[in-house]
Amino acid sequence: MNTKELQFAYLVKHALEENSQKLPDETIARLSFARKIAVSRKKKRHLLPIHAVHNILAGPTGNFFNAPLTLLGRLGIAAPLLAGALILIGLYEFEHEQRITEMAEFDVAVLSDELPLSAYADQGFNAYLARRDE
């Protein structure tokens, strides 16, 4: 529906609401009948996709959302959640071990180097390393 049609529908609705008490009973009955027909046609168009989605979700066993959860249904929900939590914990532990290993390798490299430890604390040495990397 475009803007002009919406404005026209609003004006008709407003005019009918203002003059509804002045209309004869026969006209009110005809308008009521026309409204029921229009509403039934609109519902028929929009109910088809809803029923199709409902049938897909319900499946062959019935209504999916209103059925009570059985033990197997609860396990079907809890098992993936538990597996996901265990995977996340495992990833965290793996990354933590990797970080510890990298720091240990760095410490071994620093301690086994021929330079004294005081050289790493010297600001001039840090500047030298920065210029050398460029």
Side-chain angles (χ1 to χ4, degrees), residues 86-96:
L86 290 174
I87 288 171
L88 289 176
I89 290 170
L91 285 173
Y92 172 78
E93 290 296 325
F94 177 76
E95 291 292 327
H96 186 67

Tab-separated table of all heavy atoms in Angstrom, residues 86-96:
chain	number	residue	atom	x	y	z
A	86	LEU	N	32.890	-27.156	28.160
A	86	LEU	CA	34.160	-27.899	28.263
A	86	LEU	C	35.140	-27.486	27.167
A	86	LEU	O	36.353	-27.374	27.412
A	86	LEU	CB	33.897	-29.404	28.198
A	86	LEU	CG	33.200	-30.000	29.420
A	86	LEU	CD1	32.869	-31.471	29.177
A	86	LEU	CD2	34.050	-29.831	30.668
A	87	ILE	N	34.638	-27.241	25.975
A	87	ILE	CA	35.510	-26.790	24.884
A	87	ILE	C	36.113	-25.423	25.207
A	87	ILE	O	37.304	-25.187	25.008
A	87	ILE	CB	34.742	-26.765	23.555
A	87	ILE	CG1	34.497	-28.194	23.076
A	87	ILE	CG2	35.493	-25.968	22.483
A	87	ILE	CD1	33.579	-28.307	21.893
A	88	LEU	N	35.289	-24.511	25.731
A	88	LEU	CA	35.798	-23.184	26.089
A	88	LEU	C	36.840	-23.259	27.206
A	88	LEU	O	37.859	-22.563	27.159
A	88	LEU	CB	34.648	-22.271	26.490
A	88	LEU	CG	33.735	-21.827	25.352
A	88	LEU	CD1	32.580	-21.012	25.890
A	88	LEU	CD2	34.515	-21.035	24.322
A	89	ILE	N	36.598	-24.102	28.195
A	89	ILE	CA	37.574	-24.261	29.278
A	89	ILE	C	38.867	-24.851	28.730
A	89	ILE	O	39.973	-24.409	29.081
A	89	ILE	CB	36.987	-25.143	30.403
A	89	ILE	CG1	35.870	-24.379	31.121
A	89	ILE	CG2	38.063	-25.575	31.390
A	89	ILE	CD1	35.062	-25.223	32.080
A	90	GLY	N	38.761	-25.835	27.847
A	90	GLY	CA	39.952	-26.435	27.242
A	90	GLY	C	40.748	-25.427	26.432
A	90	GLY	O	41.982	-25.400	26.492
A	91	LEU	N	40.059	-24.586	25.646
A	91	LEU	CA	40.751	-23.555	24.877
A	91	LEU	C	41.464	-22.559	25.776
A	91	LEU	O	42.597	-22.154	25.492
A	91	LEU	CB	39.758	-22.816	23.973
A	91	LEU	CG	39.289	-23.566	22.741
A	91	LEU	CD1	38.179	-22.788	22.044
A	91	LEU	CD2	40.444	-23.791	21.792
A	92	TYR	N	40.813	-22.173	26.871
A	92	TYR	CA	41.442	-21.249	27.810
A	92	TYR	C	42.715	-21.872	28.405
A	92	TYR	O	43.761	-21.218	28.472
A	92	TYR	CB	40.470	-20.866	28.925
A	92	TYR	CG	41.132	-20.063	30.014
A	92	TYR	CD1	41.404	-18.713	29.834
A	92	TYR	CD2	41.506	-20.661	31.220
A	92	TYR	CE1	42.036	-17.983	30.825
A	92	TYR	CE2	42.131	-19.938	32.209
A	92	TYR	CZ	42.398	-18.597	32.005
A	92	TYR	OH	43.021	-17.877	32.985
A	93	GLU	N	42.625	-23.113	28.831
A	93	GLU	CA	43.793	-23.780	29.425
A	93	GLU	C	44.920	-23.927	28.403
A	93	GLU	O	46.091	-23.737	28.730
A	93	GLU	CB	43.398	-25.156	29.983
A	93	GLU	CG	42.529	-25.084	31.206
A	93	GLU	CD	43.231	-24.441	32.391
A	93	GLU	OE1	44.452	-24.634	32.559
A	93	GLU	OE2	42.555	-23.732	33.152
A	94	PHE	N	44.585	-24.273	27.159
A	94	PHE	CA	45.594	-24.407	26.113
A	94	PHE	C	46.312	-23.086	25.871
A	94	PHE	O	47.538	-23.032	25.793
A	94	PHE	CB	44.942	-24.911	24.822
A	94	PHE	CG	45.883	-25.002	23.673
A	94	PHE	CD1	46.806	-26.031	23.590
A	94	PHE	CD2	45.864	-24.044	22.667
A	94	PHE	CE1	47.688	-26.117	22.529
A	94	PHE	CE2	46.744	-24.107	21.601
A	94	PHE	CZ	47.661	-25.142	21.532
A	95	GLU	N	45.545	-21.992	25.749
A	95	GLU	CA	46.153	-20.677	25.543
A	95	GLU	C	47.021	-20.278	26.736
A	95	GLU	O	48.092	-19.685	26.560
A	95	GLU	CB	45.071	-19.619	25.304
A	95	GLU	CG	44.357	-19.763	23.989
A	95	GLU	CD	45.267	-19.469	22.806
A	95	GLU	OE1	46.154	-18.612	22.934
A	95	GLU	OE2	45.086	-20.123	21.773
A	96	HIS	N	46.582	-20.588	27.939
A	96	HIS	CA	47.349	-20.261	29.140
A	96	HIS	C	48.682	-21.023	29.146
A	96	HIS	O	49.736	-20.436	29.446
A	96	HIS	CB	46.515	-20.603	30.379
A	96	HIS	CG	47.127	-20.187	31.660
A	96	HIS	ND1	47.301	-18.862	32.013
A	96	HIS	CD2	47.635	-20.915	32.690
A	96	HIS	CE1	47.872	-18.794	33.185
A	96	HIS	NE2	48.081	-20.030	33.621
